[in-house]
Amino acid sequence: MKQSRKKIAAKPIPSADVEDRPRRFLIGGIWHETNTFSPIATELADFHRYQYAEGEDIRRLYAGTNTEIGGMLAAADRAGAYLFPTVFAGAVPSGTITAEAFDYLVDLFLEAAAKPSAIDCVLLALHGAMVSARDREADAYFVERIRGLLGQDIPIVATFDLHANLSRRLVDAATVLIGYDTFPHVDMAARGGEAVEVALRLCEGWRPACAFRKLPLLTVPQMQATAEPPMDEIMRMVAAAENSPEILTVSVAQGFAYADVSQLGVAVVAYGEGKAPESCADKIAAAIWKRRQAFVPKLETPEAAVRAALKVKQGPVVLAEPADNVGGGTPGDGTLVLQALIEARAPSAAVVLWDPQAVEAARRLGVGGMFAGEIGGRTLKLHGPPLSVRGKIEFLADLTYKRDGAYMTGQTVRLGWVAVLDLEGIRVMLTSERCMPFDATHLRAAGIEPAQQHILVAKSGSAWKGAFGDIVTRAIYVDTPGIAASNIARLPYRIASAKQMFPLAPDLDWKPPGKVASKPATRSK
Ligand SMILES: [Zn+2]
C-alpha cells in the first residue's frame, strides 16, 4: 500500500517556480462521519468536546500523532515548508451537523485562510461522509467555499476516510483526494504525509488527470476489513496500480451506508498521467463489483450469539454489535446484547454504554455502593429499552486518556465521569461522554482488563480489531436493529437511489463506463 509515493514524470517546471523558497501551505479541516438516521444533531459543542484546535494549537495537539494532521505536520516540516494553521474540528460520529455549527466552522476556516498571502497549496483533513443541514454534501460545499475564496489556481489536496461517500462535486472542487488504505484505520499519518508529497508536486505547476467511478453498491463495516477478503485483493490491486509510473494515487472509498444522501455508496478515485487513471479506476471498480456478494455479512441473533460465546472454552470472545457502533454515529446505549447476557447469566463479560444519567446516579452512591436503577436504552427505541439492574459500583472516576492503539495514536479522548457496575460478573462501563472504544485502554482506564473477560461486547463493525484483534479467540456478529445495522435492509432509507443499489436491489447489473468489465484492460503494463 502507499506508504511512500512513486516517482511520476512531472511536466517541465516553469522557471518562475524554480526559485528556492519554502512552500507555503494552509492546513486544517472539518471532520465528521454523519449518520443521518441519528436523532442527535451535531452541534458546535460536539466538536469542542472531541477534536478542536485553532491556529498554533493545531501543532500543539496533533504533532506526533497518528492523525492526518499529524502526518501533514511532520512531512511539511521535513520539506521545510511554511505552515499556516487555520482550524481543525472533528466531532464523534453522530447526526446531521446543524447549519449554525457548520457555518461557524466554515467561516472560521475562511477567515484564517484569507490572512496569509501567496499560499502555494491547501492541505485538508476531511472525512468525506459529512452531512450538514446547510448542504447534504457538506465536504463538497466546504471545499467549494475555499475555492471561492482562493480561486481555481491554488491546489487543494484533501485526505478522506475509507468510509467517505465521495461525490462528483467534491472530486471536482478538490485537486487531489487521498483516502485511507486501511480498515481498521491505521494509516492516517501516512496519508497526511502523502498529501504533502502530492502538494509539493502540484506546487511545481503539474496537474494530474482524474478518474472517478461511483458504484451502485452499499457495503457495511463488518465486511470492509482491508486485510481480509474480499477487500484484501482489492487493496493489492490498488497497491499494484500505484506502482505504475503513470499513476499518482488511487483510493477506494467504501462509503458510509448510514446516511440518507444521494452521494451514497462505494467509489474509486484515481489520479495520474493521461488516460491511465481511467483504465485503472475501471479495473478496480469492476473487481469490486464482481465481489459484491462477498460484502454481504453473516449475523446471529443476540440469544444465539451469547449461547455460542458461552460454549467457547477460552475467551475473550467478541460479540460485535455493528448496529450500535458509536464510530458509525449511533448513541452507543443499546441494551439488546446486554439483555441477552443477563438472561443467559453470563459469568464474565464487559459492555460499554453511554449513559450520563446513570453515571450521575452512581456518583451519588460512590464506589462500593449498590446501584439499583435503569441503564441504557435512552435514545432510540430501536436499540432496546432501558434495563433495570442491580449491581455494585466498582469504579468511579473522571477519565481522559490518550489513544495508544493503532487508531489515531496519541489523540486525547475524554470519557467524562465513568462508572463501572458489576452485575454478577457482567461489567457494565457507563460513560458520560459518547466515544468510540477503539483502544484496549478505553476499558483498562476504568479497571477492566480485556484479556480477563470471557465476553467482550464491541459496539463496532471492524474497528474493534484494532483494540482486541490480537487477544480474541472468536468473534460473533450480532444482528440487532439499529441505525448502523450490518443488515442494511433494516435501514429506513428515503432516497430512492438506495433501493436501486446492491444488495437492496439484489439482481442489479452494472459495468464501469470503460470496457474493462468484460475483457482485460488494453493499457495494462
Ligand atoms: Zn472510517
Side-chain angles (χ1 to χ4, degrees):
M1 260 163 265
K2 44 190 173 192
Q3 290 309 316
S4 70
R5 226 176 41 70
K6 45 278 116 209
K7 298 288 163 280
I8 189 160
K11 299 235 169 84
I13 299 165
S15 55
D17 255 342
V18 185
E19 59 178 297
D20 188 20
R21 62 166 175 84
R23 296 299 182 188
R24 295 159 66 87
F25 295 147
L26 206 69
I27 182 171
I30 309 175
W31 190 102
H32 192 245
E33 182 176 81
T34 309
N35 186 322
T36 66
F37 300 122
S38 170
I40 306 174
T42 303
E43 314 267 5
L44 191 60
D46 296 306
F47 289 90
H48 281 290
R49 211 175 270 144
Y50 187 52
Q51 304 295 324
Y52 189 90
E54 286 182 44
E56 285 304 324
D57 271 353
I58 291 183
R59 185 179 286 279
R60 192 176 61 76
L61 286 174
Y62 296 104
T65 61
N66 181 19
T67 62
E68 304 88 308
I69 296 280
M72 288 172 185
L73 291 169
D77 286 351
R78 279 197 302 274
Y82 197 82
L83 286 176
F84 295 91
T86 54
V87 56
F88 177 73
V92 169
S94 46
T96 302
I97 306 173
T98 64
E100 295 72 24
F102 187 61
D103 288 348
Y104 177 87
L105 293 171
V106 172
D107 289 347
L108 199 68
F109 184 97
L110 294 177
E111 213 175 282
K115 279 180 198 155
S117 60
I119 286 297
D120 292 306
C121 185
V122 180
L123 298 167
L124 294 178
L126 303 177
H127 184 286
M130 178 162 70
V131 182
S132 166
R134 168 64 56 228
D135 193 308
R136 305 281 283 173
E137 293 185 38
D139 296 280
Y141 173 89
F142 178 42
V143 180
E144 286 167 356
R145 290 291 305 275
I146 301 169
R147 272 262 168 269
L149 176 77
L150 300 176
Q152 291 302 314
D153 294 340
I154 294 179
I156 300 175
V157 182
T159 55
F160 66 86
D161 189 287
L162 182 122
H163 297 108
N165 282 319
L166 293 186
S167 70
R168 170 54 72 182
R169 262 178 73 195
L170 177 60
V171 171
D172 287 349
T175 315
V176 174
L177 295 171
I178 300 168
Y180 302 172
D181 284 336
T182 56
F183 185 55
H185 307 312
V186 295
D187 63 333
M188 288 68 74
R191 298 290 69 77
E194 186 185 4
V196 171
E197 290 178 45
V198 168
L200 290 168
R201 306 301 312 277
L202 301 178
C203 289
E204 294 166 4
W206 177 67
R207 294 290 180 272
C210 169
F212 177 56
R213 299 289 179 266
K214 195 81 192 173
L215 288 80
L217 173 61
L218 296 168
T219 68
V220 293
Q222 178 181 339
M223 303 309 291
Q224 294 164 344
T226 47
E228 296 169 32
M231 275 301 284
D232 55 349
E233 273 183 283
I234 303 297
M235 296 318 294
R236 279 197 288 276
M237 288 181 74
V238 168
E242 290 187 325
N243 275 327
S244 153
E246 294 174 303
I247 294 294
L248 175 68
T249 184
V250 188
S251 305
V252 173
Q254 280 290 325
F256 182 64
Y258 311 109
D260 206 12
V261 292
S262 57
Q263 68 270 30
L264 193 63
V266 176
V268 180
V269 63
Y271 298 86
E273 294 276 21
K275 296 265 186 250
E278 298 285 334
S279 54
C280 163
D282 278 339
K283 210 160 122 184
I284 293 170
I288 296 169
W289 183 251
K290 200 175 129 196
R291 289 163 179 78
R292 62 193 178 281
Q293 289 291 353
F295 285 100
V296 178
K298 289 184 183 55
L299 299 155
E300 302 280 354
T301 64
E303 296 71 25
V306 169
R307 263 199 314 275
L310 290 175
K311 276 190 201 144
V312 178
K313 281 211 175 70
Q314 178 70 41
V317 178
V318 157
L319 297 185
E321 189 193 15
D324 193 26
N325 173 9
V326 175
T330 74
D333 67 352
T335 53
L336 294 166
V337 178
L338 175 59
Q339 193 169 19
L341 286 168
I342 293 172
E343 279 165 9
R345 297 179 173 275
S348 162
V351 185
V352 181
L353 292 182
W354 173 54
D355 193 338
Q357 218 172 307
V359 173
E360 268 311 299
R363 282 183 69 190
R364 284 193 293 272
L365 295 162
V367 176
M370 189 57 79
F371 179 99
E374 292 193 326
I375 56 169
R378 299 194 196 264
T379 320
L380 281 163
K381 276 210 178 76
L382 207 55
H383 290 237
L387 297 183
S388 262
V389 299
R390 226 181 115 74
K392 195 169 150 196
I393 302 161
E394 270 191 345
F395 176 95
L396 264 178
D398 188 356
L399 287 184
T400 297
Y401 74 93
K402 267 199 201 303
R403 291 198 191 277
D404 57 2
Y407 179 76
M408 303 277 188
T409 321
Q411 201 181 47
T412 302
V413 173
R414 252 190 64 65
L415 293 175
W417 275 91
V418 168
V420 177
L421 307 182
D422 176 15
L423 312 178
E424 294 173 32
I426 302 170
R427 290 198 161 67
V428 183
M429 173 174 167
L430 302 164
T431 68
S432 299
E433 297 288 342
R434 208 174 59 84
C435 194
M436 48 278 205
F438 291 165
D439 295 277
T441 305
H442 200 96
L443 296 177
R444 273 190 202 125
I448 300 172
E449 179 49 49
Q452 286 168 10
Q453 312 304 314
H454 186 71
I455 296 174
L456 293 168
V457 178
K459 290 175 178 286
S460 159
S462 275
W464 62 267
K465 290 172 193 166
F468 312 122
D470 295 344
I471 58 163
V472 303
T473 55
R474 194 173 162 198
I476 304 165
Y477 284 86
V478 188
D479 184 16
T480 58
I483 58 171
S486 270
N487 173 3
I488 54 177
R490 289 183 179 276
L491 299 170
Y493 289 115
R494 274 194 269 179
I495 53 153
S497 54
K499 290 170 187 111
Q500 290 150 22
M501 297 173 87
F502 184 88
L504 296 178
D507 302 323
L508 184 69
D509 200 15
W510 180 83
K511 252 185 212 159
K515 299 205 165 38
V516 290
S518 49
K519 58 180 180 186
T522 49
R523 281 174 197 281
S524 63
K525 292 168 276 44

